[in-house]
Amino acid sequence: MNAIARALAATFARIAEALVVVWLLASLVFFALRLLPGDPAALVLGDDASPVELARVRATLHLDLPLGAQYARFLRGLVTLDLGESLRRPGVSAMARVLESLGPTSALASVAVGLGAVMGIAAALLAVGPWLRPRARVWIERALVATSAMPLLAFAPVITYALAARARLVPLPGDPDAGIAGLLFASTLLSIPLAAHVGRVGRAALVDLGRAPFLVVARAKGASNLRVWLRHALPVASGPIVTVVATQLGALLGGAVVLERLFERAGLGTLILEAYASRDLPVLEGAVVAAGALFVASQAIAAALQAAIDPRVRA
């Protein structure tokens, strides 16, 4: 019973911590857009706007209210998912546009995490197992190091041009008709840096376990090499792998935003830049907070998964 109580307390603590982080981010976004020099209404309409137009936009954005009342209204709008209408698309809810874009970004990031973990673990096993010659394992290790240091923008356009534009082996990631194939291709591009980091950390963890007594016993009992590494070694090394995935989630979500803009895919990245360019403040506020909430939620899930795998984290 005490263990259940501790688990529930830890869960509630993580939820509370995540909510505090999202609240701080939302507050930063709110005050940054209102306390920086310049009139937000003038930023929306431009310097040539008439006083009547400026007054109309201020009323729409509730800028004519005291700052405290604006802040309370903003927080209430986040809780009720009602930040008002989009300035760029009158009659369309700002949060509706945000939620519409949240789905593609979540799908892109989720598939990329899965692909990156699978490819990284496969590379780690190839780099330490007996299936390849030592020289080939060395080249895999070098490739992991080089790829982990390579930014997404250094290889994504080149690979896309070669495979999609020239060879036409895969659809363009930004093609609305690309469907699942486009999502898989874009997710694969996004997962490459994560796979390299997972491969490096997984390889190091497996090398440390290579001569562990329990693996020697498993081999002595006649277990095949594949069973020894997959069934016995990999679960023990999963803690560091989950840790590196958790630490790379921020970079992965940032890469998803960059990739969406690069290929003009629907998602939070495209929506944020669109809203910024058109000075659509309700949509911009909602999209930035949603991106932060997505990151916080993914970190919380990774921490919970790590705690479930590694008892030392729970302690």
Side-chain angles (χ1 to χ4, degrees), residues 103-113 182-183 185-188 190 252 255-257 259-260 265:
T105 299
S106 301
L108 178 64
S110 300
V111 176
V113 168
L183 173 64
F185 180 52
S187 299
T188 301
L190 184 59
L252 188 140
V257 171
L259 203 65
E260 286 170 353
R265 285 180 58 88

mmCIF file of all heavy atoms in Angstrom, residues 103-113 182-183 185-188 190 252 255-257 259-260 265:
data_model
loop_
_atom_site.group_PDB
_atom_site.id
_atom_site.type_symbol
_atom_site.label_atom_id
_atom_site.label_comp_id
_atom_site.label_asym_id
_atom_site.label_seq_id
_atom_site.Cartn_x
_atom_site.Cartn_y
_atom_site.Cartn_z
ATOM 1 N N GLY A 103 -1.891 17.929 -34.130
ATOM 2 C CA GLY A 103 -1.928 16.527 -34.544
ATOM 3 C C GLY A 103 -0.782 16.132 -35.465
ATOM 4 O O GLY A 103 -0.055 15.171 -35.175
ATOM 5 N N PRO A 104 -0.560 16.849 -36.589
ATOM 6 C CA PRO A 104 0.550 16.486 -37.474
ATOM 7 C C PRO A 104 1.917 16.545 -36.800
ATOM 8 O O PRO A 104 2.769 15.688 -37.041
ATOM 9 C CB PRO A 104 0.447 17.523 -38.602
ATOM 10 C CG PRO A 104 -0.982 17.936 -38.606
ATOM 11 C CD PRO A 104 -1.425 17.890 -37.180
ATOM 12 N N THR A 105 2.135 17.553 -35.940
ATOM 13 C CA THR A 105 3.424 17.650 -35.252
ATOM 14 C C THR A 105 3.604 16.490 -34.279
ATOM 15 O O THR A 105 4.692 15.908 -34.190
ATOM 16 C CB THR A 105 3.530 18.988 -34.499
ATOM 17 O OG1 THR A 105 3.433 20.060 -35.426
ATOM 18 C CG2 THR A 105 4.857 19.103 -33.764
ATOM 19 N N SER A 106 2.556 16.141 -33.542
ATOM 20 C CA SER A 106 2.636 15.015 -32.610
ATOM 21 C C SER A 106 2.905 13.708 -33.358
ATOM 22 O O SER A 106 3.712 12.878 -32.914
ATOM 23 C CB SER A 106 1.340 14.901 -31.807
ATOM 24 O OG SER A 106 1.085 16.076 -31.075
ATOM 25 N N ALA A 107 2.225 13.518 -34.489
ATOM 26 C CA ALA A 107 2.441 12.298 -35.272
ATOM 27 C C ALA A 107 3.870 12.234 -35.804
ATOM 28 O O ALA A 107 4.529 11.186 -35.733
ATOM 29 C CB ALA A 107 1.445 12.247 -36.427
ATOM 30 N N LEU A 108 4.359 13.356 -36.327
ATOM 31 C CA LEU A 108 5.719 13.400 -36.862
ATOM 32 C C LEU A 108 6.739 13.084 -35.773
ATOM 33 O O LEU A 108 7.648 12.266 -35.966
ATOM 34 C CB LEU A 108 5.989 14.786 -37.459
ATOM 35 C CG LEU A 108 7.382 15.037 -38.033
ATOM 36 C CD1 LEU A 108 7.651 14.122 -39.220
ATOM 37 C CD2 LEU A 108 7.530 16.506 -38.445
ATOM 38 N N ALA A 109 6.597 13.709 -34.607
ATOM 39 C CA ALA A 109 7.550 13.490 -33.519
ATOM 40 C C ALA A 109 7.450 12.084 -32.954
ATOM 41 O O ALA A 109 8.472 11.449 -32.654
ATOM 42 C CB ALA A 109 7.328 14.523 -32.417
ATOM 43 N N SER A 110 6.232 11.566 -32.809
ATOM 44 C CA SER A 110 6.052 10.221 -32.238
ATOM 45 C C SER A 110 6.669 9.153 -33.125
ATOM 46 O O SER A 110 7.386 8.256 -32.638
ATOM 47 C CB SER A 110 4.564 9.936 -32.032
ATOM 48 O OG SER A 110 3.983 10.873 -31.163
ATOM 49 N N VAL A 111 6.393 9.227 -34.418
ATOM 50 C CA VAL A 111 6.972 8.236 -35.340
ATOM 51 C C VAL A 111 8.490 8.366 -35.364
ATOM 52 O O VAL A 111 9.216 7.367 -35.417
ATOM 53 C CB VAL A 111 6.367 8.404 -36.749
ATOM 54 C CG1 VAL A 111 7.034 7.452 -37.737
ATOM 55 C CG2 VAL A 111 4.867 8.146 -36.717
ATOM 56 N N ALA A 112 9.000 9.602 -35.309
ATOM 57 C CA ALA A 112 10.451 9.816 -35.319
ATOM 58 C C ALA A 112 11.105 9.217 -34.078
ATOM 59 O O ALA A 112 12.196 8.638 -34.164
ATOM 60 C CB ALA A 112 10.764 11.308 -35.408
ATOM 61 N N VAL A 113 10.458 9.337 -32.922
ATOM 62 C CA VAL A 113 11.005 8.744 -31.702
ATOM 63 C C VAL A 113 11.087 7.224 -31.837
ATOM 64 O O VAL A 113 12.109 6.597 -31.504
ATOM 65 C CB VAL A 113 10.149 9.126 -30.475
ATOM 66 C CG1 VAL A 113 10.530 8.288 -29.265
ATOM 67 C CG2 VAL A 113 10.321 10.594 -30.142
ATOM 68 N N GLY A 182 4.678 9.991 -46.947
ATOM 69 C CA GLY A 182 5.322 11.266 -46.653
ATOM 70 C C GLY A 182 5.650 11.407 -45.181
ATOM 71 O O GLY A 182 6.720 11.923 -44.814
ATOM 72 N N LEU A 183 4.735 10.951 -44.317
ATOM 73 C CA LEU A 183 4.985 11.010 -42.886
ATOM 74 C C LEU A 183 6.175 10.137 -42.504
ATOM 75 O O LEU A 183 7.037 10.559 -41.715
ATOM 76 C CB LEU A 183 3.738 10.550 -42.118
ATOM 77 C CG LEU A 183 3.880 10.398 -40.600
ATOM 78 C CD1 LEU A 183 4.182 11.740 -39.952
ATOM 79 C CD2 LEU A 183 2.619 9.786 -40.000
ATOM 80 N N PHE A 185 8.706 9.203 -44.415
ATOM 81 C CA PHE A 185 9.949 9.762 -44.933
ATOM 82 C C PHE A 185 10.401 10.940 -44.085
ATOM 83 O O PHE A 185 11.574 11.039 -43.696
ATOM 84 C CB PHE A 185 9.774 10.184 -46.392
ATOM 85 C CG PHE A 185 11.017 10.777 -46.996
ATOM 86 C CD1 PHE A 185 12.225 10.105 -46.933
ATOM 87 C CD2 PHE A 185 10.984 12.018 -47.614
ATOM 88 C CE1 PHE A 185 13.378 10.650 -47.485
ATOM 89 C CE2 PHE A 185 12.118 12.573 -48.155
ATOM 90 C CZ PHE A 185 13.324 11.881 -48.098
ATOM 91 N N ALA A 186 9.470 11.856 -43.783
ATOM 92 C CA ALA A 186 9.820 13.004 -42.947
ATOM 93 C C ALA A 186 10.255 12.554 -41.553
ATOM 94 O O ALA A 186 11.225 13.088 -40.988
ATOM 95 C CB ALA A 186 8.636 13.967 -42.844
ATOM 96 N N SER A 187 9.572 11.571 -40.975
ATOM 97 C CA SER A 187 9.930 11.070 -39.651
ATOM 98 C C SER A 187 11.299 10.395 -39.668
ATOM 99 O O SER A 187 12.071 10.501 -38.705
ATOM 100 C CB SER A 187 8.876 10.088 -39.147
ATOM 101 O OG SER A 187 7.614 10.706 -39.036
ATOM 102 N N THR A 188 11.606 9.703 -40.760
ATOM 103 C CA THR A 188 12.919 9.063 -40.866
ATOM 104 C C THR A 188 14.030 10.106 -40.884
ATOM 105 O O THR A 188 15.060 9.951 -40.217
ATOM 106 C CB THR A 188 12.986 8.195 -42.130
ATOM 107 O OG1 THR A 188 11.961 7.191 -42.076
ATOM 108 C CG2 THR A 188 14.335 7.514 -42.252
ATOM 109 N N LEU A 190 13.906 13.058 -39.569
ATOM 110 C CA LEU A 190 13.959 13.643 -38.234
ATOM 111 C C LEU A 190 14.594 12.690 -37.224
ATOM 112 O O LEU A 190 15.219 13.137 -36.247
ATOM 113 C CB LEU A 190 12.543 14.009 -37.790
ATOM 114 C CG LEU A 190 12.361 14.715 -36.446
ATOM 115 C CD1 LEU A 190 13.127 16.037 -36.434
ATOM 116 C CD2 LEU A 190 10.887 14.957 -36.171
ATOM 117 N N LEU A 252 14.531 17.062 -30.786
ATOM 118 C CA LEU A 252 13.690 16.410 -31.791
ATOM 119 C C LEU A 252 12.454 17.257 -32.106
ATOM 120 O O LEU A 252 12.096 17.424 -33.280
ATOM 121 C CB LEU A 252 13.287 15.025 -31.297
ATOM 122 C CG LEU A 252 12.554 14.141 -32.306
ATOM 123 C CD1 LEU A 252 13.044 12.700 -32.199
ATOM 124 C CD2 LEU A 252 11.055 14.162 -32.034
ATOM 125 N N GLY A 255 13.521 20.096 -34.096
ATOM 126 C CA GLY A 255 13.752 19.651 -35.471
ATOM 127 C C GLY A 255 12.459 19.451 -36.230
ATOM 128 O O GLY A 255 12.390 19.707 -37.441
ATOM 129 N N ALA A 256 11.415 18.985 -35.530
ATOM 130 C CA ALA A 256 10.114 18.822 -36.188
ATOM 131 C C ALA A 256 9.580 20.166 -36.671
ATOM 132 O O ALA A 256 9.040 20.278 -37.788
ATOM 133 C CB ALA A 256 9.119 18.179 -35.225
ATOM 134 N N VAL A 257 9.745 21.211 -35.846
ATOM 135 C CA VAL A 257 9.298 22.548 -36.245
ATOM 136 C C VAL A 257 10.072 23.031 -37.470
ATOM 137 O O VAL A 257 9.507 23.569 -38.422
ATOM 138 C CB VAL A 257 9.470 23.522 -35.060
ATOM 139 C CG1 VAL A 257 9.237 24.962 -35.510
ATOM 140 C CG2 VAL A 257 8.507 23.172 -33.936
ATOM 141 N N LEU A 259 11.674 21.137 -39.677
ATOM 142 C CA LEU A 259 11.365 20.290 -40.825
ATOM 143 C C LEU A 259 10.018 20.670 -41.437
ATOM 144 O O LEU A 259 9.867 20.669 -42.665
ATOM 145 C CB LEU A 259 11.362 18.824 -40.387
ATOM 146 C CG LEU A 259 11.610 17.775 -41.474
ATOM 147 C CD1 LEU A 259 13.022 17.938 -42.022
ATOM 148 C CD2 LEU A 259 11.464 16.375 -40.887
ATOM 149 N N GLU A 260 9.053 20.972 -40.605
ATOM 150 C CA GLU A 260 7.746 21.384 -41.113
ATOM 151 C C GLU A 260 7.866 22.653 -41.948
ATOM 152 O O GLU A 260 7.246 22.769 -43.011
ATOM 153 C CB GLU A 260 6.785 21.607 -39.945
ATOM 154 C CG GLU A 260 6.300 20.334 -39.290
ATOM 155 C CD GLU A 260 5.546 20.594 -38.002
ATOM 156 O OE1 GLU A 260 5.522 21.765 -37.551
ATOM 157 O OE2 GLU A 260 4.992 19.638 -37.438
ATOM 158 N N ARG A 265 5.175 21.525 -44.451
ATOM 159 C CA ARG A 265 4.199 20.567 -43.952
ATOM 160 C C ARG A 265 3.298 21.245 -42.928
ATOM 161 O O ARG A 265 3.712 22.161 -42.217
ATOM 162 C CB ARG A 265 4.900 19.374 -43.269
ATOM 163 C CG ARG A 265 5.541 18.404 -44.228
ATOM 164 C CD ARG A 265 6.199 17.262 -43.462
ATOM 165 N NE ARG A 265 5.238 16.558 -42.618
ATOM 166 C CZ ARG A 265 4.491 15.538 -43.028
ATOM 167 N NH1 ARG A 265 4.595 15.106 -44.268
ATOM 168 N NH2 ARG A 265 3.641 14.949 -42.204
#
